[in-house]
């Protein structure tokens, strides 16, 4: 049986794996499913139609699966889906999706969400991201794998941040941040590539050089975006590491940061 503190309130309809732990004074709602090895700390609220995978560590005073902060929300049965091996620290808030979009807020695997992070409705978070303290996402934001969001950074609704990008502390993202790019300032502007992050993740020196050349094509050669995209597509044929950048630029969004 799950180890549930006597003061916790776990609805009889909740489905908890046999080794789940629920701390003192926490509340788990009737439509919640929690996977094996997950721990929920004290004073946490997990509610709504929420599915949480295996081996997650959820700390005290978190709020997961609550209804979205959206005036259009009318009680629809939207969801929150969280994968495996995530660390969700104190006072993090994650809201369910809305019927006007995907109907779900989705978080992948191996992410670190530090204190006071907010993930709004319909956001999609990839894998192995790091959100430093007080990073904030508005609704409908898409965050790629291995992204780092610095402390007190924020993203406007419907923005995308591509894989391996680095958003500096205090940056406010108002347009899309392409993969591999370092963004800083208000509004966020491109300031080179995330070389150190790529090194830490095992990218070769040749791959990093290809990324830096791609950045030069995109930002330093004064090319119209269409021409830059075509040139990058050619480069990706020789350097497959650039494929995520080419795919990102091919999708419609809010326009990339400049």
């Amino acid at each position: 049986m799950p180890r549930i503190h006597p003061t916790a309130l776990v609805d009889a309809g909740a489905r908890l794996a046999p080794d789940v732990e629920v701390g003192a004074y926490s509340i788990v709602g009737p439509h919640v499913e929690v996977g094996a090895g997950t721990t929920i700390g004290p004073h946490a609220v997990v509610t709504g139609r929420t599915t949480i995978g295996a081996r997650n560590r959820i700390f005290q005073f978190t709020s997961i699966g609550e209804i979205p902060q959206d005036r259009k929300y009318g009680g629809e049965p939207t969801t929150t889906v969280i994968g495996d091996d995530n660390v969700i620290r104190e006072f993090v808030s994650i809201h369910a999706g809305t019927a006007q979009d995907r109907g779900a807020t989705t978080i992948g695997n191996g992410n670190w969400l530090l204190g006071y992070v907010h993930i709004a409705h319909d956001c999609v978070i990839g894998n192995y991201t790091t959100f430093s303290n007080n990073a904030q996402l508005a609704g409908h934001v898409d965050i790629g794998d291995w992204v780092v969001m610095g402390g007190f950074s924020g993203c406007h609704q419907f923005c995308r941040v591509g894989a391996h990008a680095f958003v500096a502390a205090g940056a406010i993202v108002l347009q899309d941040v392409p993969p591999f790019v370092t963004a800083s300032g208000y509004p966020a502007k491109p300031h080179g590539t995330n070389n150190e992050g790529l090194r830490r993740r095992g990218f070769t020196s040749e791959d990093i050089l290809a990324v830096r050349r791609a950045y030069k094509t995109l930002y330093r050669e004064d090319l119209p975006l269409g021409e830059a995209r075509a040139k990058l597509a050619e480069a990706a044929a020789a350097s497959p590491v650039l494929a995520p950048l080419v795919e990102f630029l091919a999708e419609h969004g809010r326009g990339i940061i400049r």
Side-chain angles (χ1 to χ4, degrees), residues 119-232:
I119 309 295
H121 58 86
D122 302 293
C123 288
V124 178
I125 312 301
N127 304 308
Y128 308 111
T129 66
T130 300
F131 284 66
S132 295
N133 296 69
N134 286 282
Q136 310 281 298
L137 301 186
H140 318 281
V141 171
D142 192 319
I143 303 291
D145 296 344
W146 296 102
V147 165
V148 175
M149 297 291 298
F152 294 90
S153 62
C155 279
H156 190 281
Q157 61 182 353
F158 295 104
C159 282
R160 299 179 298 148
V161 180
H164 300 284
F166 184 98
V167 178
I172 302 299
V173 174
L174 302 182
Q175 292 181 289
D176 297 345
V177 180
F180 311 119
V181 169
T182 292
S184 65
Y186 180 15
K189 301 289 185 183
H191 288 273
T193 54
N194 184 17
N195 297 335
E196 182 59 31
L198 297 179
R199 290 190 194 97
R200 292 179 182 181
R201 291 164 209 146
F203 283 67
T204 66
S205 57
E206 291 79 10
D207 286 342
I208 294 172
L209 180 59
V211 168
R212 295 177 66 180
R213 287 173 173 164
Y215 180 90
K216 182 179 179 181
T217 297
L218 189 60
Y219 286 113
R220 299 286 174 80
E221 296 183 3
D222 295 324
L223 296 174
L225 184 57
E227 291 183 21
R229 282 200 299 253
K231 189 172 181 179
L232 290 171

